[in-house]
PDB file of all heavy atoms in Angstrom:
ATOM      1  N   GLY A   1       1.152  13.044  15.027  1.00  0.00           N
ATOM      2  CA  GLY A   1       0.734  11.900  15.917  1.00  0.00           C
ATOM      3  C   GLY A   1       1.797  10.936  16.090  1.00  0.00           C
ATOM      4  O   GLY A   1       2.976  11.133  15.741  1.00  0.00           O
ATOM      5  N   ASP A   2       1.392   9.805  16.598  1.00  0.00           N
ATOM      6  CA  ASP A   2       2.383   8.747  17.053  1.00  0.00           C
ATOM      7  C   ASP A   2       3.026   7.993  15.888  1.00  0.00           C
ATOM      8  O   ASP A   2       2.503   6.925  15.519  1.00  0.00           O
ATOM      9  CB  ASP A   2       1.645   7.832  18.004  1.00  0.00           C
ATOM     10  CG  ASP A   2       2.571   6.856  18.688  1.00  0.00           C
ATOM     11  OD1 ASP A   2       3.769   7.242  18.937  1.00  0.00           O
ATOM     12  OD2 ASP A   2       2.115   5.746  19.044  1.00  0.00           O
ATOM     13  N   HIS A   3       4.053   8.524  15.301  1.00  0.00           N
ATOM     14  CA  HIS A   3       4.738   7.932  14.152  1.00  0.00           C
ATOM     15  C   HIS A   3       6.262   8.010  14.462  1.00  0.00           C
ATOM     16  O   HIS A   3       6.957   8.834  13.811  1.00  0.00           O
ATOM     17  CB  HIS A   3       4.404   8.593  12.825  1.00  0.00           C
ATOM     18  CG  HIS A   3       2.953   8.498  12.505  1.00  0.00           C
ATOM     19  ND1 HIS A   3       1.937   9.371  12.837  1.00  0.00           N
ATOM     20  CD2 HIS A   3       2.278   7.490  11.850  1.00  0.00           C
ATOM     21  CE1 HIS A   3       0.754   9.021  12.429  1.00  0.00           C
ATOM     22  NE2 HIS A   3       0.962   7.836  11.792  1.00  0.00           N
ATOM     23  N   PRO A   4       6.693   7.147  15.336  1.00  0.00           N
ATOM     24  CA  PRO A   4       8.144   7.206  15.713  1.00  0.00           C
ATOM     25  C   PRO A   4       9.021   6.329  14.888  1.00  0.00           C
ATOM     26  O   PRO A   4       8.585   5.506  14.142  1.00  0.00           O
ATOM     27  CB  PRO A   4       8.072   6.729  17.162  1.00  0.00           C
ATOM     28  CG  PRO A   4       6.995   5.682  17.186  1.00  0.00           C
ATOM     29  CD  PRO A   4       5.976   6.167  16.124  1.00  0.00           C
ATOM     30  N   ASP A   5      10.353   6.589  15.080  1.00  0.00           N
ATOM     31  CA  ASP A   5      11.333   5.746  14.458  1.00  0.00           C
ATOM     32  C   ASP A   5      11.151   5.681  12.911  1.00  0.00           C
ATOM     33  O   ASP A   5      11.130   4.548  12.323  1.00  0.00           O
ATOM     34  CB  ASP A   5      11.404   4.358  15.050  1.00  0.00           C
ATOM     35  CG  ASP A   5      11.579   4.358  16.581  1.00  0.00           C
ATOM     36  OD1 ASP A   5      12.360   5.190  17.041  1.00  0.00           O
ATOM     37  OD2 ASP A   5      10.868   3.583  17.214  1.00  0.00           O
ATOM     38  N   PRO A   6      11.015   6.805  12.207  1.00  0.00           N
ATOM     39  CA  PRO A   6      10.722   6.732  10.772  1.00  0.00           C
ATOM     40  C   PRO A   6      11.830   6.005  10.026  1.00  0.00           C
ATOM     41  O   PRO A   6      13.004   6.279  10.215  1.00  0.00           O
ATOM     42  CB  PRO A   6      10.588   8.159  10.343  1.00  0.00           C
ATOM     43  CG  PRO A   6      11.380   8.923  11.361  1.00  0.00           C
ATOM     44  CD  PRO A   6      11.202   8.170  12.625  1.00  0.00           C
ATOM     45  N   THR A   7      11.435   5.119   9.102  1.00  0.00           N
ATOM     46  CA  THR A   7      12.388   4.483   8.203  1.00  0.00           C
ATOM     47  C   THR A   7      11.877   4.853   6.760  1.00  0.00           C
ATOM     48  O   THR A   7      10.703   4.579   6.441  1.00  0.00           O
ATOM     49  CB  THR A   7      12.571   2.998   8.342  1.00  0.00           C
ATOM     50  OG1 THR A   7      13.358   2.452   7.282  1.00  0.00           O
ATOM     51  CG2 THR A   7      11.234   2.271   8.434  1.00  0.00           C
ATOM     52  N   ILE A   8      12.680   5.453   5.911  1.00  0.00           N
ATOM     53  CA  ILE A   8      12.198   6.065   4.670  1.00  0.00           C
ATOM     54  C   ILE A   8      13.054   5.501   3.536  1.00  0.00           C
ATOM     55  O   ILE A   8      14.257   5.283   3.621  1.00  0.00           O
ATOM     56  CB  ILE A   8      12.288   7.572   4.798  1.00  0.00           C
ATOM     57  CG1 ILE A   8      11.687   8.219   3.490  1.00  0.00           C
ATOM     58  CG2 ILE A   8      13.732   8.085   5.057  1.00  0.00           C
ATOM     59  CD1 ILE A   8      11.544   9.695   3.618  1.00  0.00           C
ATOM     60  N   LEU A   9      12.352   5.233   2.423  1.00  0.00           N
ATOM     61  CA  LEU A   9      12.937   4.679   1.211  1.00  0.00           C
ATOM     62  C   LEU A   9      12.630   5.580   0.019  1.00  0.00           C
ATOM     63  O   LEU A   9      11.438   5.912  -0.239  1.00  0.00           O
ATOM     64  CB  LEU A   9      12.381   3.266   0.933  1.00  0.00           C
ATOM     65  CG  LEU A   9      12.700   2.643  -0.395  1.00  0.00           C
ATOM     66  CD1 LEU A   9      14.203   2.312  -0.507  1.00  0.00           C
ATOM     67  CD2 LEU A   9      11.889   1.338  -0.576  1.00  0.00           C
ATOM     68  N   LYS A  10      13.630   5.985  -0.739  1.00  0.00           N
ATOM     69  CA  LYS A  10      13.427   6.638  -2.069  1.00  0.00           C
ATOM     70  C   LYS A  10      13.382   5.562  -3.112  1.00  0.00           C
ATOM     71  O   LYS A  10      14.399   4.824  -3.261  1.00  0.00           O
ATOM     72  CB  LYS A  10      14.540   7.684  -2.311  1.00  0.00           C
ATOM     73  CG  LYS A  10      14.424   8.344  -3.651  1.00  0.00           C
ATOM     74  CD  LYS A  10      15.490   9.438  -3.777  1.00  0.00           C
ATOM     75  CE  LYS A  10      15.583  10.054  -5.206  1.00  0.00           C
ATOM     76  NZ  LYS A  10      14.271  10.626  -5.634  1.00  0.00           N
ATOM     77  N   ASP A  11      12.353   5.485  -3.878  1.00  0.00           N
ATOM     78  CA  ASP A  11      12.134   4.437  -4.878  1.00  0.00           C
ATOM     79  C   ASP A  11      11.772   5.131  -6.208  1.00  0.00           C
ATOM     80  O   ASP A  11      10.575   5.333  -6.462  1.00  0.00           O
ATOM     81  CB  ASP A  11      11.087   3.461  -4.387  1.00  0.00           C
ATOM     82  CG  ASP A  11      10.980   2.258  -5.368  1.00  0.00           C
ATOM     83  OD1 ASP A  11      11.924   1.965  -6.061  1.00  0.00           O
ATOM     84  OD2 ASP A  11       9.925   1.630  -5.327  1.00  0.00           O
ATOM     85  N   GLY A  12      12.760   5.592  -7.016  1.00  0.00           N
ATOM     86  CA  GLY A  12      12.487   6.377  -8.164  1.00  0.00           C
ATOM     87  C   GLY A  12      11.991   7.731  -7.731  1.00  0.00           C
ATOM     88  O   GLY A  12      12.590   8.434  -6.999  1.00  0.00           O
ATOM     89  N   ASP A  13      10.829   8.105  -8.262  1.00  0.00           N
ATOM     90  CA  ASP A  13      10.163   9.380  -7.897  1.00  0.00           C
ATOM     91  C   ASP A  13       9.299   9.253  -6.670  1.00  0.00           C
ATOM     92  O   ASP A  13       8.644  10.282  -6.264  1.00  0.00           O
ATOM     93  CB  ASP A  13       9.364   9.934  -9.054  1.00  0.00           C
ATOM     94  CG  ASP A  13      10.195  10.255 -10.272  1.00  0.00           C
ATOM     95  OD1 ASP A  13      11.391  10.627 -10.087  1.00  0.00           O
ATOM     96  OD2 ASP A  13       9.713  10.131 -11.418  1.00  0.00           O
ATOM     97  N   ASP A  14       9.200   8.126  -6.136  1.00  0.00           N
ATOM     98  CA  ASP A  14       8.313   7.883  -4.975  1.00  0.00           C
ATOM     99  C   ASP A  14       9.110   7.732  -3.687  1.00  0.00           C
ATOM    100  O   ASP A  14      10.270   7.242  -3.668  1.00  0.00           O
ATOM    101  CB  ASP A  14       7.485   6.596  -5.161  1.00  0.00           C
ATOM    102  CG  ASP A  14       6.531   6.730  -6.340  1.00  0.00           C
ATOM    103  OD1 ASP A  14       5.574   7.518  -6.226  1.00  0.00           O
ATOM    104  OD2 ASP A  14       6.797   6.083  -7.411  1.00  0.00           O
ATOM    105  N   TYR A  15       8.527   8.100  -2.574  1.00  0.00           N
ATOM    106  CA  TYR A  15       9.032   7.853  -1.251  1.00  0.00           C
ATOM    107  C   TYR A  15       8.095   7.027  -0.450  1.00  0.00           C
ATOM    108  O   TYR A  15       6.848   7.212  -0.505  1.00  0.00           O
ATOM    109  CB  TYR A  15       9.269   9.190  -0.522  1.00  0.00           C
ATOM    110  CG  TYR A  15      10.288  10.074  -1.207  1.00  0.00           C
ATOM    111  CD1 TYR A  15      10.007  10.994  -2.198  1.00  0.00           C
ATOM    112  CD2 TYR A  15      11.666   9.988  -0.796  1.00  0.00           C
ATOM    113  CE1 TYR A  15      10.895  11.751  -2.831  1.00  0.00           C
ATOM    114  CE2 TYR A  15      12.608  10.788  -1.449  1.00  0.00           C
ATOM    115  CZ  TYR A  15      12.218  11.697  -2.467  1.00  0.00           C
ATOM    116  OH  TYR A  15      13.172  12.462  -3.040  1.00  0.00           O
ATOM    117  N   TYR A  16       8.628   6.122   0.303  1.00  0.00           N
ATOM    118  CA  TYR A  16       7.776   5.261   1.175  1.00  0.00           C
ATOM    119  C   TYR A  16       8.430   5.335   2.578  1.00  0.00           C
ATOM    120  O   TYR A  16       9.627   5.394   2.797  1.00  0.00           O
ATOM    121  CB  TYR A  16       7.775   3.825   0.663  1.00  0.00           C
ATOM    122  CG  TYR A  16       7.136   3.717  -0.682  1.00  0.00           C
ATOM    123  CD1 TYR A  16       7.915   3.560  -1.820  1.00  0.00           C
ATOM    124  CD2 TYR A  16       5.744   3.795  -0.810  1.00  0.00           C
ATOM    125  CE1 TYR A  16       7.339   3.502  -3.065  1.00  0.00           C
ATOM    126  CE2 TYR A  16       5.153   3.681  -2.074  1.00  0.00           C
ATOM    127  CZ  TYR A  16       5.958   3.506  -3.211  1.00  0.00           C
ATOM    128  OH  TYR A  16       5.343   3.437  -4.453  1.00  0.00           O
ATOM    129  N   MET A  17       7.518   5.284   3.584  1.00  0.00           N
ATOM    130  CA  MET A  17       7.956   5.353   4.971  1.00  0.00           C
ATOM    131  C   MET A  17       7.068   4.528   5.831  1.00  0.00           C
ATOM    132  O   MET A  17       5.850   4.361   5.589  1.00  0.00           O
ATOM    133  CB  MET A  17       7.904   6.833   5.391  1.00  0.00           C
ATOM    134  CG  MET A  17       8.513   7.119   6.743  1.00  0.00           C
ATOM    135  SD  MET A  17       8.979   8.899   6.960  1.00  0.00           S
ATOM    136  CE  MET A  17       7.437   9.786   6.634  1.00  0.00           C
ATOM    137  N   THR A  18       7.651   3.918   6.866  1.00  0.00           N
ATOM    138  CA  THR A  18       6.882   3.273   7.927  1.00  0.00           C
ATOM    139  C   THR A  18       7.529   3.528   9.271  1.00  0.00           C
ATOM    140  O   THR A  18       8.581   4.166   9.296  1.00  0.00           O
ATOM    141  CB  THR A  18       6.670   1.742   7.640  1.00  0.00           C
ATOM    142  OG1 THR A  18       5.699   1.223   8.558  1.00  0.00           O
ATOM    143  CG2 THR A  18       7.997   0.996   7.858  1.00  0.00           C
ATOM    144  N   PHE A  19       6.869   3.101  10.288  1.00  0.00           N
ATOM    145  CA  PHE A  19       7.198   3.516  11.677  1.00  0.00           C
ATOM    146  C   PHE A  19       7.006   2.360  12.659  1.00  0.00           C
ATOM    147  O   PHE A  19       6.386   1.357  12.306  1.00  0.00           O
ATOM    148  CB  PHE A  19       6.304   4.665  12.171  1.00  0.00           C
ATOM    149  CG  PHE A  19       6.033   5.738  11.109  1.00  0.00           C
ATOM    150  CD1 PHE A  19       5.021   5.640  10.171  1.00  0.00           C
ATOM    151  CD2 PHE A  19       6.919   6.819  10.997  1.00  0.00           C
ATOM    152  CE1 PHE A  19       4.837   6.643   9.233  1.00  0.00           C
ATOM    153  CE2 PHE A  19       6.752   7.762  10.075  1.00  0.00           C
ATOM    154  CZ  PHE A  19       5.699   7.693   9.185  1.00  0.00           C
ATOM    155  N   SER A  20       7.561   2.518  13.837  1.00  0.00           N
ATOM    156  CA  SER A  20       7.268   1.537  14.868  1.00  0.00           C
ATOM    157  C   SER A  20       5.787   1.490  15.141  1.00  0.00           C
ATOM    158  O   SER A  20       5.142   2.477  15.312  1.00  0.00           O
ATOM    159  CB  SER A  20       7.989   1.905  16.194  1.00  0.00           C
ATOM    160  OG  SER A  20       9.407   1.890  16.044  1.00  0.00           O
ATOM    161  N   SER A  21       5.198   0.246  15.158  1.00  0.00           N
ATOM    162  CA  SER A  21       3.791   0.142  15.401  1.00  0.00           C
ATOM    163  C   SER A  21       3.474  -0.469  16.772  1.00  0.00           C
ATOM    164  O   SER A  21       2.265  -0.539  17.120  1.00  0.00           O
ATOM    165  CB  SER A  21       3.138  -0.680  14.293  1.00  0.00           C
ATOM    166  OG  SER A  21       3.772  -1.944  14.149  1.00  0.00           O
ATOM    167  N   PHE A  22       4.470  -0.903  17.519  1.00  0.00           N
ATOM    168  CA  PHE A  22       4.292  -1.405  18.897  1.00  0.00           C
ATOM    169  C   PHE A  22       3.204  -2.433  18.955  1.00  0.00           C
ATOM    170  O   PHE A  22       3.285  -3.467  18.289  1.00  0.00           O
ATOM    171  CB  PHE A  22       4.011  -0.223  19.851  1.00  0.00           C
ATOM    172  CG  PHE A  22       5.201   0.721  19.882  1.00  0.00           C
ATOM    173  CD1 PHE A  22       5.232   1.903  19.101  1.00  0.00           C
ATOM    174  CD2 PHE A  22       6.306   0.407  20.596  1.00  0.00           C
ATOM    175  CE1 PHE A  22       6.292   2.774  19.055  1.00  0.00           C
ATOM    176  CE2 PHE A  22       7.428   1.293  20.607  1.00  0.00           C
ATOM    177  CZ  PHE A  22       7.431   2.397  19.845  1.00  0.00           C
ATOM    178  N   TYR A  23       2.146  -2.255  19.746  1.00  0.00           N
ATOM    179  CA  TYR A  23       1.123  -3.328  20.006  1.00  0.00           C
ATOM    180  C   TYR A  23      -0.090  -3.214  19.049  1.00  0.00           C
ATOM    181  O   TYR A  23      -1.071  -3.847  19.289  1.00  0.00           O
ATOM    182  CB  TYR A  23       0.620  -3.248  21.444  1.00  0.00           C
ATOM    183  CG  TYR A  23       1.681  -3.697  22.469  1.00  0.00           C
ATOM    184  CD1 TYR A  23       2.343  -2.773  23.225  1.00  0.00           C
ATOM    185  CD2 TYR A  23       1.931  -5.032  22.669  1.00  0.00           C
ATOM    186  CE1 TYR A  23       3.261  -3.173  24.172  1.00  0.00           C
ATOM    187  CE2 TYR A  23       2.875  -5.434  23.593  1.00  0.00           C
ATOM    188  CZ  TYR A  23       3.542  -4.514  24.345  1.00  0.00           C
ATOM    189  OH  TYR A  23       4.461  -4.918  25.299  1.00  0.00           O
ATOM    190  N   SER A  24      -0.017  -2.373  18.045  1.00  0.00           N
ATOM    191  CA  SER A  24      -1.139  -2.185  17.153  1.00  0.00           C
ATOM    192  C   SER A  24      -1.081  -3.184  16.012  1.00  0.00           C
ATOM    193  O   SER A  24      -0.099  -3.291  15.333  1.00  0.00           O
ATOM    194  CB  SER A  24      -1.178  -0.757  16.555  1.00  0.00           C
ATOM    195  OG  SER A  24      -1.413   0.195  17.587  1.00  0.00           O
ATOM    196  N   TYR A  25      -2.211  -3.866  15.838  1.00  0.00           N
ATOM    197  CA  TYR A  25      -2.316  -4.899  14.748  1.00  0.00           C
ATOM    198  C   TYR A  25      -3.686  -4.759  14.105  1.00  0.00           C
ATOM    199  O   TYR A  25      -4.666  -4.650  14.742  1.00  0.00           O
ATOM    200  CB  TYR A  25      -2.156  -6.329  15.298  1.00  0.00           C
ATOM    201  CG  TYR A  25      -0.726  -6.625  15.675  1.00  0.00           C
ATOM    202  CD1 TYR A  25      -0.243  -6.364  16.991  1.00  0.00           C
ATOM    203  CD2 TYR A  25       0.137  -7.208  14.764  1.00  0.00           C
ATOM    204  CE1 TYR A  25       1.058  -6.662  17.284  1.00  0.00           C
ATOM    205  CE2 TYR A  25       1.467  -7.495  15.059  1.00  0.00           C
ATOM    206  CZ  TYR A  25       1.914  -7.226  16.322  1.00  0.00           C
ATOM    207  OH  TYR A  25       3.227  -7.465  16.650  1.00  0.00           O
ATOM    208  N   PRO A  26      -3.761  -4.843  12.717  1.00  0.00           N
ATOM    209  CA  PRO A  26      -2.597  -4.936  11.749  1.00  0.00           C
ATOM    210  C   PRO A  26      -1.663  -3.722  11.950  1.00  0.00           C
ATOM    211  O   PRO A  26      -2.072  -2.641  12.366  1.00  0.00           O
ATOM    212  CB  PRO A  26      -3.293  -4.895  10.440  1.00  0.00           C
ATOM    213  CG  PRO A  26      -4.689  -5.339  10.670  1.00  0.00           C
ATOM    214  CD  PRO A  26      -5.038  -4.817  11.985  1.00  0.00           C
ATOM    215  N   GLY A  27      -0.380  -3.914  11.583  1.00  0.00           N
ATOM    216  CA  GLY A  27       0.574  -2.928  11.838  1.00  0.00           C
ATOM    217  C   GLY A  27       1.537  -2.687  10.744  1.00  0.00           C
ATOM    218  O   GLY A  27       1.455  -3.194   9.615  1.00  0.00           O
ATOM    219  N   LEU A  28       2.554  -1.837  10.993  1.00  0.00           N
ATOM    220  CA  LEU A  28       3.586  -1.385  10.074  1.00  0.00           C
ATOM    221  C   LEU A  28       2.937  -0.890   8.728  1.00  0.00           C
ATOM    222  O   LEU A  28       3.061  -1.488   7.647  1.00  0.00           O
ATOM    223  CB  LEU A  28       4.561  -2.545   9.770  1.00  0.00           C
ATOM    224  CG  LEU A  28       5.475  -2.923  10.919  1.00  0.00           C
ATOM    225  CD1 LEU A  28       6.385  -4.037  10.520  1.00  0.00           C
ATOM    226  CD2 LEU A  28       6.249  -1.745  11.452  1.00  0.00           C
ATOM    227  N   ILE A  29       2.246   0.202   8.855  1.00  0.00           N
ATOM    228  CA  ILE A  29       1.546   0.819   7.718  1.00  0.00           C
ATOM    229  C   ILE A  29       2.593   1.519   6.874  1.00  0.00           C
ATOM    230  O   ILE A  29       3.409   2.294   7.338  1.00  0.00           O
ATOM    231  CB  ILE A  29       0.510   1.831   8.171  1.00  0.00           C
ATOM    232  CG1 ILE A  29      -0.531   1.137   9.083  1.00  0.00           C
ATOM    233  CG2 ILE A  29      -0.168   2.478   6.970  1.00  0.00           C
ATOM    234  CD1 ILE A  29      -1.368   2.151   9.880  1.00  0.00           C
ATOM    235  N   ILE A  30       2.550   1.202   5.561  1.00  0.00           N
ATOM    236  CA  ILE A  30       3.354   1.980   4.557  1.00  0.00           C
ATOM    237  C   ILE A  30       2.707   3.262   4.231  1.00  0.00           C
ATOM    238  O   ILE A  30       1.457   3.334   3.927  1.00  0.00           O
ATOM    239  CB  ILE A  30       3.578   1.111   3.298  1.00  0.00           C
ATOM    240  CG1 ILE A  30       4.331  -0.183   3.624  1.00  0.00           C
ATOM    241  CG2 ILE A  30       4.335   1.961   2.252  1.00  0.00           C
ATOM    242  CD1 ILE A  30       5.764   0.020   3.940  1.00  0.00           C
ATOM    243  N   TRP A  31       3.452   4.385   4.314  1.00  0.00           N
ATOM    244  CA  TRP A  31       2.977   5.704   3.878  1.00  0.00           C
ATOM    245  C   TRP A  31       3.716   6.075   2.559  1.00  0.00           C
ATOM    246  O   TRP A  31       4.880   5.684   2.357  1.00  0.00           O
ATOM    247  CB  TRP A  31       3.208   6.744   4.923  1.00  0.00           C
ATOM    248  CG  TRP A  31       2.269   6.586   6.144  1.00  0.00           C
ATOM    249  CD1 TRP A  31       2.275   5.526   6.990  1.00  0.00           C
ATOM    250  CD2 TRP A  31       1.264   7.491   6.533  1.00  0.00           C
ATOM    251  NE1 TRP A  31       1.360   5.733   7.995  1.00  0.00           N
ATOM    252  CE2 TRP A  31       0.692   6.903   7.728  1.00  0.00           C
ATOM    253  CE3 TRP A  31       0.843   8.715   6.051  1.00  0.00           C
ATOM    254  CZ2 TRP A  31      -0.311   7.563   8.408  1.00  0.00           C
ATOM    255  CZ3 TRP A  31      -0.206   9.397   6.767  1.00  0.00           C
ATOM    256  CH2 TRP A  31      -0.786   8.794   7.918  1.00  0.00           C
ATOM    257  N   HIS A  32       3.076   6.953   1.731  1.00  0.00           N
ATOM    258  CA  HIS A  32       3.657   7.254   0.460  1.00  0.00           C
ATOM    259  C   HIS A  32       3.616   8.822   0.227  1.00  0.00           C
ATOM    260  O   HIS A  32       2.759   9.513   0.691  1.00  0.00           O
ATOM    261  CB  HIS A  32       2.832   6.613  -0.675  1.00  0.00           C
ATOM    262  CG  HIS A  32       3.168   7.140  -2.055  1.00  0.00           C
ATOM    263  ND1 HIS A  32       2.441   8.098  -2.776  1.00  0.00           N
ATOM    264  CD2 HIS A  32       4.247   6.841  -2.870  1.00  0.00           C
ATOM    265  CE1 HIS A  32       2.959   8.269  -3.928  1.00  0.00           C
ATOM    266  NE2 HIS A  32       4.098   7.550  -4.062  1.00  0.00           N
ATOM    267  N   SER A  33       4.666   9.314  -0.460  1.00  0.00           N
ATOM    268  CA  SER A  33       4.778  10.712  -0.783  1.00  0.00           C
ATOM    269  C   SER A  33       5.551  10.842  -2.069  1.00  0.00           C
ATOM    270  O   SER A  33       6.397   9.975  -2.435  1.00  0.00           O
ATOM    271  CB  SER A  33       5.478  11.521   0.332  1.00  0.00           C
ATOM    272  OG  SER A  33       5.650  12.872  -0.037  1.00  0.00           O
ATOM    273  N   THR A  34       5.389  11.952  -2.808  1.00  0.00           N
ATOM    274  CA  THR A  34       6.256  12.312  -3.915  1.00  0.00           C
ATOM    275  C   THR A  34       6.909  13.633  -3.673  1.00  0.00           C
ATOM    276  O   THR A  34       7.716  14.106  -4.535  1.00  0.00           O
ATOM    277  CB  THR A  34       5.432  12.399  -5.268  1.00  0.00           C
ATOM    278  OG1 THR A  34       4.310  13.225  -5.060  1.00  0.00           O
ATOM    279  CG2 THR A  34       4.982  11.003  -5.682  1.00  0.00           C
TER     280      THR A  34
END
């Protein structure tokens, strides 16, 4: 789905990512993965 311009951070054993949210508010949702 609509998750463009990914910016990803490695933080220890965790990964966090967020995306352009354009006109959607609340926005800039953080996503998590290991």
